[in-house]
Amino acid sequence: MQKWIFFVLFILAGALGLGVLFQDISDRQVAKEAEAAAGKSQQLKIAASNWQFDSADYTVKSGEPTKVSLSLKEGVHAIEIQGLDIKLDKENPSKQVTFDKPGTYEIICVLPCGEGHAKMKSKLVVS
């Protein structure tokens, strides 16, 4: 009698273990697919240092998903892309967006960062 109970418990434990193993593999595949899809989207990386951005202008294609990210190389900054309702700062350094309207937009620092703050501007060209 005990042999049958142990046999049934052994079979159940094996089935449970296989279920967990296959679920983990499935979760990994979903994560890889999501990562690959995110890798296909374009990226807009904006680096801010004291009173300047790393580029005078940036270009992205309209209609494509884009990850916009802000990195702080020097000082503390927050940016706004005027006319697009995109604001990034230390607490929210990136945002996934799709630029629908082609045009030229101004990128400005919206956190007073010192004597050159007023000149801290750049352009975003959406083509």
Side-chain angles (χ1 to χ4, degrees), residues 14-49:
L16 180 64
L18 286 174
V20 169
L21 175 67
F22 286 118
Q23 178 64 36
D24 187 46
I25 290 171
S26 176
D27 289 346
R28 285 186 199 167
Q29 285 177 330
V30 169
K32 280 186 179 182
E33 288 171 4
E35 191 175 295
K40 291 179 183 177
S41 68
Q42 62 182 335
Q43 295 201 10
L44 170 60
K45 296 179 181 181
I46 301 170
S49 58

Side-chain angles (χ1 to χ4, degrees), residues 5-15:
I5 292 173
F6 283 121
F7 178 72
V8 169
L9 289 175
F10 179 75
I11 296 297
L12 288 173

Side-chain angles (χ1 to χ4, degrees), residues 43-116:
Q43 295 201 10
L44 170 60
K45 296 179 181 181
I46 301 170
S49 58
N50 281 341
W51 314 299
Q52 65 183 359
F53 295 109
D54 63 329
S55 181
D57 46 79
Y58 303 90
T59 304
V60 295
K61 294 180 183 175
S62 65
E64 293 186 18
T66 305
K67 181 179 180 181
V68 181
S69 59
L70 171 67
S71 63
L72 305 176
K73 300 292 182 192
E74 187 177 37
V76 180
H77 306 279
I79 65 165
E80 177 181 352
I81 302 176
Q82 294 184 321
L84 295 176
D85 193 35
I86 297 173
K87 296 179 182 176
L88 302 176
D89 58 22
K90 186 177 179 180
E91 302 299 319
N92 299 303
S94 65
K95 185 174 185 176
Q96 188 77 21
V97 290
T98 300
F99 297 102
D100 294 328
K101 301 177 193 172
T104 301
Y105 302 91
E106 190 171 41
I107 302 170
I108 61 169
C109 180
V110 292
L111 181 68
C113 57
E115 62 189 49

